[in-house]
Amino acid sequence: MSRQPKLERFNNLVKSKYQVYNSLFMTLPFHGITDTGVLLPLFDRICTRGYDNKYNPEKIVNYFFDKYQRDVSEEERHDLLFRFIQYIERQVVLFDAIEDAAYRTVNNMDGRGTLRNIKEEAEAQSKTGELQEYLQDFKIRPVLTAHPTQFYPGAVLGIINDLSKALNDNDLEMIKNLLSQLGKTPFFKKEKPTPYDEAVSLIWYLENVFYKASSHIYNYLQQNVFKGEFFDNQVIDLGFWPGGDRDGNPFVTTEITLKVASRLRNTIIKNYYRDVRNLRRRITFNGTEAPLADIERRLYDSIFLPGDQLKITVDELNSTLMRIRQIVIERHEGLFVEQIDDLLNKIKMFGFHFAVLDIRQDSRVHMHVMEEIVKQSAKDELGIFPANFAELSEAEQITILQDVKGTIDPATLEDEIARKTLESIYAMREIQEHNGERSCNRYIISNNQTGLNVMHAFSMFHLTGWENPLVDIVPLFETVPDLKIAHEVMRKLYTNPAYAKHLKQRKMKQTIMLGFSDGTKDGGYLMANWSIFKAKEELTKVSREFGIKVIFFDGRGGPPARGGGKTHQFYASLGETIEDEEIQLTVQGQTISSNFGTPDSCQYNLEQLLSSGIFNGVFSEKGKAFPEEDRSTMEELAELSYKAYSDFKEHPNFLGYLERMSTLKYYAKTNIGSRPSKRGKSEKLNFSDLRAIPFVGSWSQLKQNVPGFYGVGTAIEAFEKRGDFDKVQDLYKNSLFFRTLLENSMMSLTKSFFGLTAYMHDDPEFGSFWDIIHDEYERTKRLLLKVSGYSELMEEEQAGKASIQERERIVLPLLTIQQFALKKIQEMQREENPDQAKLEMFEKMVTRSLFGNINASRNSA
């Protein structure tokens, strides 16, 4: 099977199987909805034919009812549409389970970009020594974020996993029972989750997926690259945001942060406990039984006895296992020693923290907090700040902040935000005491614009009495203007004596986060990516000048519109001018479930990420990412696309179109996340208040995917019109970075379907605006095909394209229902006295249809 082309493997193992099991699912006798499984295929067919004939969604829905449900009431028609939504949601789950079950075979787990491939390549080129040396330092850190665009509740995730196993085992009876369970399990959350609920949902992936996949990778490296010898590097270092990410989420409290840290610790200890129990089934030799029984009991007590005190430390667990290992090697022929090594490797990677809990807050909040601290310290006559501190210049304030000392008790602060912010720093110290220094040692400053923003956070640590904080302060540069001056901000910090001393204590390493999400929203697709590339070059240059190892943490998100797409290819495209000793990136929402949802997919994608760094560090002849003439082409393309996107964003209909023609306002009603769907409290929609997820997601629901392509076509066309198209072709040929950008944009175009919203062309208010978007889509599609030489989008990724097309086909009826309901809402809102009950029913229909569409897209927001 693995010798077949990837597309053929996909068709045989995914597409064909889905058709068989979907037929079974559609005939299950669910009480009260017997006709739904019969009628949905008919509706599906009418949707497909209707768009071929350029019908609008309302006409398609009405045609279906006139043909097959003529004699039923309007209420019964709407009830059937809700049942269609429920069925389609579950069809997406079935497809997910089948694709997960086939993952290992469809994706060659030993092919290009895997560790086995890397090892064999190193042996063939006599570079095993270089590979070993590189792996002593190189790390990857996927960071699971608090952005909850994963719509599956925990019960459904369990069904997907069980269904995948049953499919692999060809257990027809179990498959049938699980499909029945799926049909009766609710998807919709009646209440918004708390930040703690979100954390528990994502810890499920750590416990059930990352724990297994990461250790499998580490064991492979130890046994096959290092020939069984231990090496001193975690290689995979997991990160975690839920419960620590305060940026814009007023519901994250110190109590929740501490509770999440405790849950992370308990979860990893439970995993160790299970492993020790399994180990005792094999390590049954003289001299090993008593120490193994002792650590099993102490791990158990650490989990279940009341109180927060550990009954065993990481060092004790590690040293006991090392003693047992020595006994097994010396007295018992090393029997099952690899199982001991497996647990030792897990302890090295995960400690007692499992994943690093990052704390994040906005620089504007810090500004407010410092004002409150200065006021309160003056009121309490602490003498920490001069009376005129607020009137001082930025440079003068930094001079005071760099040497500030004292202990501010959060309880003395009257302002709630100031109190909570300072409490979060005290919480970091407490978490480190319980879970180890690695457990919570990064403080991220969102919307960082100046050196003063960093020094605010820096001084707050010293105002908690923490003299030498074991914490990395991480500025996050997000917008295009901020990225342009990022290197100047860091130069000021590197030359600040207090901050330089702090960096020395942190082993001369500085982590800098660069955010794609708001960057793309702010500057458009090409400019956001290009601005980050240039910022990395400048930040690398200034950091090397001061002997500082800079580590870039990318807020890459999920879809290309938020910096996602082909992650491993993106990292492999960076040249010598960008530091790349570590790869750190955020992973969110459906990208977690689609790329890391099963041990197989998790292992494959972690290996791809590792191999991209290894390729750069060991196998490539590192030079510039592209020649100077190509660089000037890239610069001009970015500027042209930025102008096009900025003009589009400033169009008088831009916000109105999003607010009234898209699903933007319905994201807040889905109860998928704990934090507000927009910043600020204003009733009026402001662009700056829009969060990237609902912004990008709303375009995806419209099947227009604007943030992933807008401005690209206009920029390339400018070269074409003046006869310089060959320059763009040269850039595409010479630069893997540019090629990756365009191929990710092709994915956004592939997921677009303007036939769905073609009716908007005739809208008296927004018709011309829809035409602008559609024209740019057609322009970009034409020019990307011309640049690449492809005859169709994603021509060289046929299996990936087939997966997208199959998913889009499944949800076409769902999209049709959503647009039908949106159109009804628009019509009713023009009425003087609309029927409120009916209006609410259609709004509920739109909200319910979000789930299946988001899950099918997998990386749409």
Side-chain angles (χ1 to χ4, degrees), residues 37 39 92 112 117-118 186 195 220 242 272 291 308 366 439 452 455 460 462 480 583 613 665 711 811 827-828 838 851:
L39 292 169
V92 173
R112 185 172 174 79
N117 173 254
I118 287 286
Y220 182 88
Y272 294 158
D308 211 28
H366 290 155
S439 60
L452 181 60
M455 295 307 291
M460 278 189 265
H462 291 275
V480 172
I583 290 176
K665 67 180 182 181
V811 295
E827 290 169 2
M828 292 182 74
K838 189 182 282 190
F851 292 79

mmCIF file of all heavy atoms in Angstrom, residues 37 39 92 112 117-118 186 195 220 242 272 291 308 366 439 452 455 460 462 480 583 613 665 711 811 827-828 838 851:
data_model
loop_
_atom_site.group_PDB
_atom_site.id
_atom_site.type_symbol
_atom_site.label_atom_id
_atom_site.label_comp_id
_atom_site.label_asym_id
_atom_site.label_seq_id
_atom_site.Cartn_x
_atom_site.Cartn_y
_atom_site.Cartn_z
ATOM 1 N N GLY A 37 -31.590 11.061 7.288
ATOM 2 C CA GLY A 37 -30.552 10.351 6.534
ATOM 3 C C GLY A 37 -30.947 10.100 5.087
ATOM 4 O O GLY A 37 -30.082 9.941 4.222
ATOM 5 N N LEU A 39 -33.112 12.294 3.387
ATOM 6 C CA LEU A 39 -33.276 13.594 2.732
ATOM 7 C C LEU A 39 -31.961 14.350 2.541
ATOM 8 O O LEU A 39 -31.825 15.108 1.575
ATOM 9 C CB LEU A 39 -34.246 14.454 3.542
ATOM 10 C CG LEU A 39 -35.705 13.971 3.542
ATOM 11 C CD1 LEU A 39 -36.514 14.732 4.577
ATOM 12 C CD2 LEU A 39 -36.323 14.118 2.155
ATOM 13 N N VAL A 92 -18.543 15.187 9.561
ATOM 14 C CA VAL A 92 -17.179 15.727 9.651
ATOM 15 C C VAL A 92 -16.361 14.915 10.651
ATOM 16 O O VAL A 92 -15.194 14.585 10.403
ATOM 17 C CB VAL A 92 -17.205 17.233 10.045
ATOM 18 C CG1 VAL A 92 -15.794 17.741 10.298
ATOM 19 C CG2 VAL A 92 -17.883 18.057 8.956
ATOM 20 N N ARG A 112 10.439 11.394 3.542
ATOM 21 C CA ARG A 112 11.152 12.670 3.585
ATOM 22 C C ARG A 112 10.700 13.507 4.783
ATOM 23 O O ARG A 112 9.518 13.644 5.061
ATOM 24 C CB ARG A 112 10.907 13.438 2.287
ATOM 25 C CG ARG A 112 11.705 14.722 2.168
ATOM 26 C CD ARG A 112 11.543 15.307 0.771
ATOM 27 N NE ARG A 112 12.180 16.603 0.667
ATOM 28 C CZ ARG A 112 13.485 16.803 0.504
ATOM 29 N NH1 ARG A 112 14.291 15.759 0.412
ATOM 30 N NH2 ARG A 112 13.991 18.013 0.404
ATOM 31 N N ASN A 117 14.636 9.222 7.907
ATOM 32 C CA ASN A 117 15.203 9.775 6.682
ATOM 33 C C ASN A 117 16.436 10.640 6.996
ATOM 34 O O ASN A 117 17.460 10.555 6.305
ATOM 35 C CB ASN A 117 14.125 10.589 5.959
ATOM 36 C CG ASN A 117 14.646 11.351 4.755
ATOM 37 O OD1 ASN A 117 14.789 12.570 4.813
ATOM 38 N ND2 ASN A 117 14.937 10.655 3.678
ATOM 39 N N ILE A 118 16.332 11.450 8.044
ATOM 40 C CA ILE A 118 17.445 12.316 8.455
ATOM 41 C C ILE A 118 18.650 11.477 8.871
ATOM 42 O O ILE A 118 19.799 11.747 8.501
ATOM 43 C CB ILE A 118 17.003 13.231 9.615
ATOM 44 C CG1 ILE A 118 16.052 14.329 9.105
ATOM 45 C CG2 ILE A 118 18.188 13.830 10.348
ATOM 46 C CD1 ILE A 118 16.711 15.428 8.322
ATOM 47 N N PRO A 186 -24.189 15.380 22.313
ATOM 48 C CA PRO A 186 -24.324 16.803 21.948
ATOM 49 C C PRO A 186 -22.972 17.445 21.643
ATOM 50 O O PRO A 186 -21.965 17.113 22.250
ATOM 51 C CB PRO A 186 -24.959 17.430 23.200
ATOM 52 C CG PRO A 186 -24.619 16.502 24.317
ATOM 53 C CD PRO A 186 -24.532 15.127 23.727
ATOM 54 N N PRO A 195 -11.498 29.566 31.808
ATOM 55 C CA PRO A 195 -10.113 29.331 31.377
ATOM 56 C C PRO A 195 -9.577 27.988 31.882
ATOM 57 O O PRO A 195 -8.772 27.340 31.202
ATOM 58 C CB PRO A 195 -9.345 30.509 31.995
ATOM 59 C CG PRO A 195 -10.358 31.586 32.140
ATOM 60 C CD PRO A 195 -11.650 30.883 32.465
ATOM 61 N N TYR A 220 13.953 7.314 19.814
ATOM 62 C CA TYR A 220 14.551 6.997 18.504
ATOM 63 C C TYR A 220 15.912 7.686 18.367
ATOM 64 O O TYR A 220 16.896 7.075 17.925
ATOM 65 C CB TYR A 220 13.620 7.429 17.371
ATOM 66 C CG TYR A 220 14.167 7.093 15.998
ATOM 67 C CD1 TYR A 220 13.910 5.855 15.418
ATOM 68 C CD2 TYR A 220 14.982 7.989 15.313
ATOM 69 C CE1 TYR A 220 14.442 5.520 14.175
ATOM 70 C CE2 TYR A 220 15.522 7.673 14.081
ATOM 71 C CZ TYR A 220 15.240 6.435 13.506
ATOM 72 O OH TYR A 220 15.779 6.105 12.290
ATOM 73 N N PRO A 242 -3.174 28.277 28.182
ATOM 74 C CA PRO A 242 -4.423 28.386 28.939
ATOM 75 C C PRO A 242 -4.163 28.510 30.441
ATOM 76 O O PRO A 242 -3.378 27.765 31.006
ATOM 77 C CB PRO A 242 -5.155 27.071 28.632
ATOM 78 C CG PRO A 242 -4.576 26.612 27.345
ATOM 79 C CD PRO A 242 -3.149 27.052 27.356
ATOM 80 N N TYR A 272 3.618 9.172 34.812
ATOM 81 C CA TYR A 272 4.786 8.464 35.331
ATOM 82 C C TYR A 272 4.343 7.264 36.175
ATOM 83 O O TYR A 272 4.941 6.184 36.115
ATOM 84 C CB TYR A 272 5.655 9.400 36.194
ATOM 85 C CG TYR A 272 6.318 10.531 35.469
ATOM 86 C CD1 TYR A 272 6.734 11.677 36.161
ATOM 87 C CD2 TYR A 272 6.564 10.488 34.097
ATOM 88 C CE1 TYR A 272 7.364 12.733 35.513
ATOM 89 C CE2 TYR A 272 7.183 11.539 33.437
ATOM 90 C CZ TYR A 272 7.579 12.666 34.149
ATOM 91 O OH TYR A 272 8.200 13.702 33.504
ATOM 92 N N PRO A 291 12.977 -0.708 45.380
ATOM 93 C CA PRO A 291 13.006 0.705 44.945
ATOM 94 C C PRO A 291 11.883 1.059 43.973
ATOM 95 O O PRO A 291 11.344 2.166 44.030
ATOM 96 C CB PRO A 291 14.387 0.867 44.301
ATOM 97 C CG PRO A 291 14.872 -0.511 44.033
ATOM 98 C CD PRO A 291 14.246 -1.397 45.047
ATOM 99 N N ASP A 308 -0.584 20.014 48.950
ATOM 100 C CA ASP A 308 0.115 20.280 47.692
ATOM 101 C C ASP A 308 1.584 19.884 47.761
ATOM 102 O O ASP A 308 2.375 20.296 46.923
ATOM 103 C CB ASP A 308 -0.016 21.777 47.366
ATOM 104 C CG ASP A 308 -0.023 22.028 45.867
ATOM 105 O OD1 ASP A 308 -0.452 21.133 45.118
ATOM 106 O OD2 ASP A 308 0.414 23.120 45.455
ATOM 107 N N HIS A 366 0.156 46.987 31.491
ATOM 108 C CA HIS A 366 1.324 47.268 32.333
ATOM 109 C C HIS A 366 1.466 48.772 32.595
ATOM 110 O O HIS A 366 1.842 49.185 33.706
ATOM 111 C CB HIS A 366 2.601 46.752 31.663
ATOM 112 C CG HIS A 366 2.684 45.267 31.627
ATOM 113 N ND1 HIS A 366 3.415 44.586 30.694
ATOM 114 C CD2 HIS A 366 2.123 44.320 32.403
ATOM 115 C CE1 HIS A 366 3.299 43.283 30.901
ATOM 116 N NE2 HIS A 366 2.519 43.113 31.939
ATOM 117 N N SER A 439 8.909 25.245 34.946
ATOM 118 C CA SER A 439 7.451 25.141 34.906
ATOM 119 C C SER A 439 6.764 26.436 34.499
ATOM 120 O O SER A 439 5.711 26.414 33.871
ATOM 121 C CB SER A 439 6.924 24.703 36.270
ATOM 122 O OG SER A 439 7.286 25.658 37.261
ATOM 123 N N LEU A 452 10.518 50.836 27.218
ATOM 124 C CA LEU A 452 9.825 51.120 28.477
ATOM 125 C C LEU A 452 8.800 50.032 28.784
ATOM 126 O O LEU A 452 8.627 49.652 29.950
ATOM 127 C CB LEU A 452 9.138 52.488 28.403
ATOM 128 C CG LEU A 452 8.385 52.949 29.660
ATOM 129 C CD1 LEU A 452 9.330 53.053 30.854
ATOM 130 C CD2 LEU A 452 7.676 54.276 29.405
ATOM 131 N N MET A 455 10.683 47.326 30.408
ATOM 132 C CA MET A 455 11.165 47.701 31.747
ATOM 133 C C MET A 455 10.027 47.794 32.766
ATOM 134 O O MET A 455 10.261 47.638 33.966
ATOM 135 C CB MET A 455 11.951 49.016 31.681
ATOM 136 C CG MET A 455 13.243 48.910 30.877
ATOM 137 S SD MET A 455 14.338 47.544 31.396
ATOM 138 C CE MET A 455 14.868 48.122 33.004
ATOM 139 N N MET A 460 8.447 45.203 37.716
ATOM 140 C CA MET A 460 7.403 44.559 38.517
ATOM 141 C C MET A 460 7.930 43.305 39.219
ATOM 142 O O MET A 460 7.535 43.006 40.350
ATOM 143 C CB MET A 460 6.182 44.238 37.654
ATOM 144 C CG MET A 460 5.260 45.435 37.456
ATOM 145 S SD MET A 460 3.716 44.978 36.669
ATOM 146 C CE MET A 460 4.093 45.342 34.967
ATOM 147 N N HIS A 462 10.945 42.904 40.285
ATOM 148 C CA HIS A 462 11.778 43.361 41.402
ATOM 149 C C HIS A 462 10.943 43.977 42.517
ATOM 150 O O HIS A 462 11.385 44.041 43.658
ATOM 151 C CB HIS A 462 12.831 44.341 40.892
ATOM 152 C CG HIS A 462 13.869 43.678 40.036
ATOM 153 N ND1 HIS A 462 14.977 43.049 40.553
ATOM 154 C CD2 HIS A 462 13.940 43.501 38.688
ATOM 155 C CE1 HIS A 462 15.696 42.524 39.563
ATOM 156 N NE2 HIS A 462 15.083 42.784 38.424
ATOM 157 N N VAL A 480 2.958 45.837 11.831
ATOM 158 C CA VAL A 480 4.036 46.171 10.885
ATOM 159 C C VAL A 480 4.914 47.308 11.414
ATOM 160 O O VAL A 480 6.148 47.195 11.397
ATOM 161 C CB VAL A 480 3.446 46.501 9.494
ATOM 162 C CG1 VAL A 480 4.520 47.041 8.558
ATOM 163 C CG2 VAL A 480 2.789 45.261 8.889
ATOM 164 N N ILE A 583 13.231 26.325 17.434
ATOM 165 C CA ILE A 583 11.998 26.665 16.730
ATOM 166 C C ILE A 583 10.882 26.669 17.765
ATOM 167 O O ILE A 583 10.628 25.658 18.413
ATOM 168 C CB ILE A 583 11.686 25.652 15.610
ATOM 169 C CG1 ILE A 583 12.691 25.795 14.462
ATOM 170 C CG2 ILE A 583 10.261 25.827 15.094
ATOM 171 C CD1 ILE A 583 12.513 24.769 13.359
ATOM 172 N N GLY A 613 14.698 22.170 11.086
ATOM 173 C CA GLY A 613 15.846 22.779 11.755
ATOM 174 C C GLY A 613 17.129 22.026 11.480
ATOM 175 O O GLY A 613 18.177 22.629 11.231
ATOM 176 N N LYS A 665 -20.293 38.431 14.354
ATOM 177 C CA LYS A 665 -20.882 38.634 15.680
ATOM 178 C C LYS A 665 -21.390 37.339 16.303
ATOM 179 O O LYS A 665 -21.692 37.291 17.496
ATOM 180 C CB LYS A 665 -22.012 39.661 15.619
ATOM 181 C CG LYS A 665 -23.236 39.231 14.847
ATOM 182 C CD LYS A 665 -24.275 40.352 14.868
ATOM 183 C CE LYS A 665 -25.542 39.934 14.128
ATOM 184 N NZ LYS A 665 -26.548 41.019 14.117
ATOM 185 N N GLY A 711 -4.316 41.278 -1.851
ATOM 186 C CA GLY A 711 -3.163 42.117 -2.155
ATOM 187 C C GLY A 711 -2.066 41.388 -2.898
ATOM 188 O O GLY A 711 -1.233 42.012 -3.559
ATOM 189 N N VAL A 811 -19.387 19.813 3.774
ATOM 190 C CA VAL A 811 -20.038 20.950 4.450
ATOM 191 C C VAL A 811 -20.757 21.901 3.499
ATOM 192 O O VAL A 811 -21.332 22.895 3.960
ATOM 193 C CB VAL A 811 -19.026 21.758 5.312
ATOM 194 C CG1 VAL A 811 -18.499 20.915 6.445
ATOM 195 C CG2 VAL A 811 -17.918 22.342 4.480
ATOM 196 N N GLU A 827 -32.800 40.296 5.532
ATOM 197 C CA GLU A 827 -34.119 40.739 5.049
ATOM 198 C C GLU A 827 -34.988 41.207 6.218
ATOM 199 O O GLU A 827 -35.658 42.246 6.139
ATOM 200 C CB GLU A 827 -34.817 39.599 4.295
ATOM 201 C CG GLU A 827 -34.183 39.268 2.958
ATOM 202 C CD GLU A 827 -34.720 37.969 2.352
ATOM 203 O OE1 GLU A 827 -35.619 37.340 2.969
ATOM 204 O OE2 GLU A 827 -34.237 37.571 1.273
ATOM 205 N N MET A 828 -34.976 40.444 7.300
ATOM 206 C CA MET A 828 -35.828 40.772 8.446
ATOM 207 C C MET A 828 -35.374 42.061 9.134
ATOM 208 O O MET A 828 -36.192 42.812 9.670
ATOM 209 C CB MET A 828 -35.843 39.616 9.448
ATOM 210 C CG MET A 828 -36.542 38.371 8.928
ATOM 211 S SD MET A 828 -36.591 37.036 10.147
ATOM 212 C CE MET A 828 -37.834 37.651 11.256
ATOM 213 N N LYS A 838 -38.705 34.492 15.262
ATOM 214 C CA LYS A 838 -38.154 33.931 14.019
ATOM 215 C C LYS A 838 -36.721 34.439 13.791
ATOM 216 O O LYS A 838 -35.843 33.684 13.354
ATOM 217 C CB LYS A 838 -39.052 34.311 12.840
ATOM 218 C CG LYS A 838 -38.672 33.593 11.551
ATOM 219 C CD LYS A 838 -39.533 34.010 10.373
ATOM 220 C CE LYS A 838 -40.895 33.333 10.417
ATOM 221 N NZ LYS A 838 -41.658 33.540 9.158
ATOM 222 N N PHE A 851 -20.020 25.374 13.793
ATOM 223 C CA PHE A 851 -19.233 24.272 14.334
ATOM 224 C C PHE A 851 -18.675 23.359 13.247
ATOM 225 O O PHE A 851 -17.474 23.122 13.163
ATOM 226 C CB PHE A 851 -20.080 23.455 15.320
ATOM 227 C CG PHE A 851 -20.431 24.194 16.569
ATOM 228 C CD1 PHE A 851 -21.459 25.120 16.576
ATOM 229 C CD2 PHE A 851 -19.735 23.976 17.740
ATOM 230 C CE1 PHE A 851 -21.784 25.816 17.723
ATOM 231 C CE2 PHE A 851 -20.059 24.667 18.900
ATOM 232 C CZ PHE A 851 -21.084 25.597 18.893
#
